[in-house]
Amino acid sequence: MSVGVICAITQELAYVRTLLTHPRPRLVAHAQFTTGTLDGRDVVVVGSGMGKVNGAVIATVLADRFGCTTLLFSGVAGGLDPDLNIGDVVIADRVVQHDAGLVDDAQTHVYQAGHVPFINPTDRLGYRVHPELLKRVAARLDGYRMAPLSAAAGGNGRTPRIAYGTVLTGDQYVHSESVRHRLHREFNGRAVEMEGGAIAQVAESFGIPWLVIRGLSDLAGRDSRFDFLRFVEEVAETSAGILRHLLPVI
Ligand code: ADE
């Protein structure tokens, strides 16, 4: 009954790895899967690499070969909601693959991944976290306080907050004010990243629960590439701290 813990990049994985006891690495597909215990819980920790296909491969191996009964993602994302700031954490209650859909001359009409409106129509858009799991998560995090971002990284002393909502996933690093505004407006997206929607899709196929935790390393606009590099390590550690705090209710 182990929990699969996925990070995409080394900066997200670094801190999680230090928490593991009795680590035993094993190479499968392109990735190193490390089995071990985290605060007494059996886990398999892995870095997937970026993007939906990498996320899907790793989620599949965790579910099918390692028999993981829950998949958790911990890492960073670009913030979309103007109410949120770098350092805040978004926990997805829904993930949507914002680059899937129907393309006509004018635009892409986002649609559920794996579906085309006139071939296999569906009313669904995205994947929802199991409501009971979300309830336990929210109860466990009630009153949880995070340290402000360090002054060294450019923090201003503000205490970060935890928000719940839609996280958007696409095979694109968003570095644009207009796209960021559109993604927030069209989907009420609170954060954008590159793996969560694929991991949720795989988890749903295997009938196992999943959760995506994302600290905001940037705001997906013009400065996002600079902010990302400045904040990624610290914010990824905040996200991993939340994952650790949640393990008892997962
Ligand atoms: N992960 C972190 N920042 C991101 C961004 N701006 N776009 C996509 N994924 C991200």
Side-chain angles (χ1 to χ4, degrees):
M1 292 267 288
S2 59
V3 174
V5 176
I6 308 171
C7 300
I9 54 177
T10 50
Q11 294 96 322
E12 294 169 334
L13 196 60
Y15 176 64
V16 177
R17 278 233 171 98
T18 66
L19 304 175
L20 271 187
T21 46
H22 312 299
R24 282 200 358 205
R26 188 167 142 199
L27 207 61
V28 184
H30 62 270
Q32 181 173 292
F33 292 75
T34 308
T35 55
T37 41
L38 205 170
D39 297 334
R41 193 72 190 270
D42 287 340
V43 293
V44 186
V45 172
V46 57
S48 61
M50 283 185 282
K52 290 185 297 180
V53 173
N54 280 329
V57 168
I58 269 31
T60 304
V61 172
L62 284 171
D64 200 40
R65 194 177 290 204
F66 288 89
C68 291
T69 48
T70 305
L71 300 183
L72 303 182
F73 187 98
S74 171
V76 300
L80 299 175
D81 185 332
D83 286 346
L84 298 176
N85 276 297
I86 292 173
D88 291 343
V89 174
V90 178
I91 297 183
D93 60 14
R94 176 178 77 135
V95 288
V96 173
Q97 297 179 26
H98 70 87
D99 57 353
L102 181 109
V103 182
D104 63 18
D105 287 341
Q107 58 178 313
T108 299
H109 304 272
V110 174
Y111 206 68
Q112 182 76 334
H115 290 259
V116 173
F118 54 87
I119 300 175
N120 54 351
T122 176
D123 291 336
R124 295 186 69 190
L125 184 61
Y127 302 87
R128 287 198 178 274
V129 175
H130 196 285
E132 286 304 318
L133 173 60
L134 202 57
K135 239 191 241 169
R136 293 200 301 278
V137 164
R140 175 83 178 149
L141 290 176
D142 193 26
Y144 181 84
R145 275 178 73 82
M146 296 173 285
L149 289 171
S150 72
N156 58 7
R158 194 184 63 88
T159 300
R161 57 178 279 220
I162 296 175
Y164 298 85
T166 297
V167 168
L168 302 177
T169 303
D171 280 310
Q172 307 160 344
Y173 185 93
V174 178
H175 188 256
S176 154
E177 297 296 332
S178 61
V179 173
R180 137 174 233 267
H181 287 128
R182 179 177 60 75
L183 291 176
H184 177 60
R185 202 179 51 241
E186 274 184 28
F187 305 104
N188 201 19
R190 303 200 87 179
V192 63
E193 40 88 306
M194 302 173 70
E195 299 82 23
I199 290 164
Q201 186 177 354
V202 170
E204 191 178 279
S205 297
F206 282 91
I208 60 177
W210 58 274
L211 191 71
V212 170
I213 307 163
R214 294 278 185 173
L216 303 185
S217 55
D218 58 85
L219 298 179
R222 265 192 307 275
D223 292 332
S224 72
R225 76 167 81 170
F226 308 110
D227 288 336
F228 175 91
L229 294 171
R230 202 155 129 209
F231 293 108
V232 60
E233 269 110 3
E234 236 178 88
V235 170
E237 193 168 322
T238 303
S239 170
I242 291 183
L243 177 142
R244 191 178 186 184
H245 189 70
L246 288 177
L247 270 184
V249 299
I250 298 293

